[in-house]
């Protein structure tokens, strides 16, 4: 698992955070102890505590770094989206590019969707401020800018933009972590180029259906 980049100048702290990210993603918050993190990093508990504090502080820092990596990728994709020409066709194409960028991010950093999916299962629920500080504002920013972009092109015909954003997040996180089970009962690997192309096309159809892009293009 490739850990999200850190902003630390300390190799020991970076190693602790990388290991903690891996273990929190694989085992979850409740099943991961600071001792296990220290052992995996080759450091004692005192050293772990010196660099990152207790388990709660360490988990929060892991989630913060995951959020920063996610936010930076999303904001960059939003900048490209909002710069598109204000026509239905250009906006539709830009929306496809936006979801493609998010899919690529999740495939490059599988630990990020895994960490968030574990929180969806109410892990570390006593740390609800993580959603309030990180996830909530980012979703609000995405919804606001997506709606403004769709408005310019006349494509927001009663679309629930926030629900569309979450639908993209839910399906992308699930696909990039688990693929899917086909009709024969075989699990299809999300890293397969064929499966990625199939899922990407599905995301495009999801977006088009939600914003009415196909319908609008037929009317033009």
């Amino acid at each position: 698992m490739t850990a999200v980049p850190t902003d630390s100048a300390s190799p020991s702290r970076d190693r602790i955070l990388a290991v903690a990210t891996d273990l929190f993603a694989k085992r979850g918050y409740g099943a991961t102890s600071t001792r296990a993190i220290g052992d995996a990093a080759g450091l004692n508990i005192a050293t772990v505590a010196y660099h990152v504090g207790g388990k709660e502080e360490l988990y929060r820092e892991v989630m913060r770094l995951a959020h920063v990596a996610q936010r930076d990728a999303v904001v960059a994709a939003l900048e490209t989206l909002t710069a598109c020409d204000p026509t239905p066709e250009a906006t539709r194409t830009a929306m496809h590019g936006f979801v493609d960028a998010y899919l690529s991010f999740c495939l490059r950093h599988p630990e990020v969707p895994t960490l968030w999916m574990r929180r969806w299962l109410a892990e570390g629920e006593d740390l609800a401020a993580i959603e309030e500080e990180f996830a909530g504002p980012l979703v609000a920013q995405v919804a606001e800018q997506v709606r403004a972009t769709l408005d310019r092109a006349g494509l927001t015909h009663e679309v629930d933009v926030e629900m569309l954003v979450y639908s993209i997040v839910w399906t992308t996180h699930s696909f990039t972590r688990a693929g899917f089970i086909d009709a024969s009962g075989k699990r299809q690997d999300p890293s397969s180029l064929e499966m990625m192309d199939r899922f990407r096309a599905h995301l495009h159809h999801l977006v088009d259906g939600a914003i009415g892009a196909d319908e609008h293009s037929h009317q033009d």
Side-chain angles (χ1 to χ4, degrees), residues 26-169:
K26 287 180 177 177
R27 302 180 183 179
Y29 179 77
T32 301
S33 66
T34 52
R35 181 176 296 279
I37 292 169
D39 289 345
L43 301 167
N44 59 43
I45 293 180
T47 302
V48 172
Y50 171 77
H51 285 290
V52 293
K55 178 179 173 179
E56 182 175 322
E57 290 81 9
L58 176 53
Y59 179 70
R60 178 180 173 78
E61 181 62 6
V62 164
M63 294 304 301
R64 186 190 71 81
L65 290 170
H67 163 71
V68 168
Q70 183 180 40
R71 180 202 64 200
D72 289 351
V74 167
V75 168
L78 278 175
E79 290 176 354
T80 300
L81 171 65
T82 56
C84 74
D85 290 335
T87 64
E89 185 56 34
T91 300
R92 173 178 175 271
T93 299
M95 283 293 295
H96 291 179
F98 179 72
V99 298
D100 289 350
Y102 191 66
L103 172 60
S104 295
F105 168 79
C106 289
L107 288 168
R108 289 195 310 272
H109 295 287
E111 71 282 0
V112 175
T114 303
L115 287 166
W116 282 115
M117 288 174 73
R118 285 196 172 278
R119 290 200 61 76
W120 296 347
L121 296 173
E123 290 198 353
E125 58 184 351
D126 53 324
L127 301 172
I130 287 175
E131 273 76 14
E132 297 169 4
E133 183 176 348
F134 301 147
L138 182 58
V139 170
Q141 179 183 357
V142 172
E144 179 182 1
Q145 293 187 240
V146 167
R147 177 171 290 283
T149 302
L150 296 178
D151 278 341
R152 288 187 312 161
L155 291 173
T156 46
H157 64 300
E158 300 181 359
V159 59
D160 187 331
V161 176
E162 190 174 58
M163 191 58 71
L164 173 60
V165 171
Y166 267 116
S167 294
I168 293 168
V169 170

Side-chain angles (χ1 to χ4, degrees), residues 157-211:
H157 64 300
E158 300 181 359
V159 59
D160 187 331
V161 176
E162 190 174 58
M163 191 58 71
L164 173 60
V165 171
Y166 267 116
S167 294
I168 293 168
V169 170
W170 291 330
T171 54
T172 302
H173 284 202
S174 297
F175 173 77
T176 56
R177 296 312 302 131
F180 66 92
I181 306 298
D182 65 17
S184 70
K186 181 179 179 181
R187 183 177 297 280
Q188 297 295 330
D189 190 335
S191 65
S192 158
L193 290 179
E194 179 183 359
M195 289 302 104
M196 281 193 285
D197 287 343
R198 183 177 171 186
F199 181 71
R200 185 178 292 108
H202 168 70
L203 284 180
H204 292 181
H205 286 309
L206 174 66
V207 167
D208 291 348
I211 67 178

